[in-house]
Amino acid sequence: MTELLPDGTRECERCGLPMMPVAEREGWVTLECANRHRETVRLPSDLAARERVRSWIMRRGAQLHVQHERWDAEEEYRKALESKQPRLIRPSDRHQQTGQTAGMVREEAVHAGDLWVGIVRTEAGRSSSWHHHGTHESVIYVITGQVHLECGPGGTTKFHARPGDCLYLPPGEIHREGNDGLDESEIVVVRSGSGELVVNVAGPAA
């Protein structure tokens, strides 16, 4: 095992940059270089060397906090750029780690900035709970099945949509979707806006 240099640092074996002590735990020291390579070595037994290591950790704490924030911001920027690139999204690429409402299943395909696109399925004879989509405008395109949508005060405004039909929902419109057909319904949903994608509520608008 490579030991620390007398000043409490060492050279990174992967890139050659200096590695500085950033943390100490249970007799071990974590070292990190500017390329975020990390290694763990034994805390020196010599008291003076230990104090030098702990001095480095104290001095580097505030610097690393700022540096890690910069690295995180750069990573978010990189991901944002990647999301703007043309790409193919297959069914296996969709996921359900998005806002869900009882009675239906949402699968996210694209979430890039203010744009959200996904697939929503509802079993035959089921209705979703009441909800809205915050500041997002939504357009629903029916692929298969019979879709009924209730909205407005008391849920008295009703639409019945078939394959090929589109439904538009303005921001904040409380509604619920149901499937009054005999087969599972599938719809494509496109949303544009910011903030929470799904806000579940107890009932229709007053």
Side-chain angles (χ1 to χ4, degrees):
M1 180 183 297
T2 305
E3 299 294 334
L4 291 172
L5 296 174
D7 66 353
T9 68
R10 60 166 290 186
E11 185 178 280
C12 178
E13 294 179 351
R14 284 182 279 181
C15 66
L17 292 175
M19 302 194 83
M20 311 297 182
V22 296
E24 174 197 346
R25 183 180 180 186
E26 297 177 354
W28 292 87
V29 179
T30 300
L31 306 167
E32 184 177 81
C33 73
N35 285 329
R36 301 189 81 171
H37 298 144
R38 285 198 166 199
E39 294 181 27
T40 302
V41 300
R42 282 281 187 188
L43 185 67
S45 57
D46 178 69
L47 183 59
R50 288 190 178 201
E51 289 306 313
R52 282 193 292 271
V53 167
R54 288 165 180 161
S55 176
W56 267 113
I57 293 172
M58 290 180 63
R59 282 185 289 167
R60 289 286 287 166
Q63 296 174 6
L64 283 171
H65 178 72
V66 173
Q67 193 171 37
H68 286 170
E69 284 188 336
R70 177 175 61 80
W71 282 334
D72 291 342
E74 289 173 351
E75 180 66 11
E76 287 182 9
Y77 180 70
R78 183 189 64 78
K79 289 180 179 179
L81 285 180
E82 285 182 353
S83 71
K84 301 296 184 182
Q85 299 300 313
R87 63 189 188 278
L88 172 66
I89 298 112
R90 298 192 184 278
S92 58
D93 296 325
R94 301 196 303 257
H95 62 83
Q96 296 180 21
Q97 281 73 55
T98 186
Q100 298 291 343
T101 298
M104 56 170 48
V105 176
R106 296 187 182 93
E107 291 185 353
E108 180 180 295
V110 175
H111 193 180
D114 291 342
L115 175 68
W116 187 93
V117 181
I119 301 292
V120 181
R121 297 189 305 276
T122 304
E123 294 178 5
R126 292 289 303 275
S127 289
S128 75
S129 298
W130 293 96
H131 61 282
H132 65 84
H133 300 289
T135 66
H136 291 79
E137 294 180 281
S138 301
V139 175
I140 296 169
Y141 175 77
V142 182
I143 302 175
T144 60
Q146 306 292 316
V147 176
H148 70 261
L149 186 141
E150 301 167 77
C151 58
T156 55
T157 301
K158 299 182 181 181
F159 299 99
H160 293 268
R162 298 172 295 180
D165 289 343
C166 286
L167 292 160
Y168 168 76
L169 284 170
E173 183 69 37
I174 296 175
H175 62 285
R176 68 177 178 182
E177 295 132 282
N179 177 2
D180 48 14
L182 300 176
D183 301 307
E184 181 182 66
S185 67
E186 187 174 57
I187 62 177
V188 175
V189 181
V190 178
R191 304 194 209 288
S192 178
S194 60
E196 291 290 327
L197 279 163
V198 179
V199 180
N200 296 308
V201 297

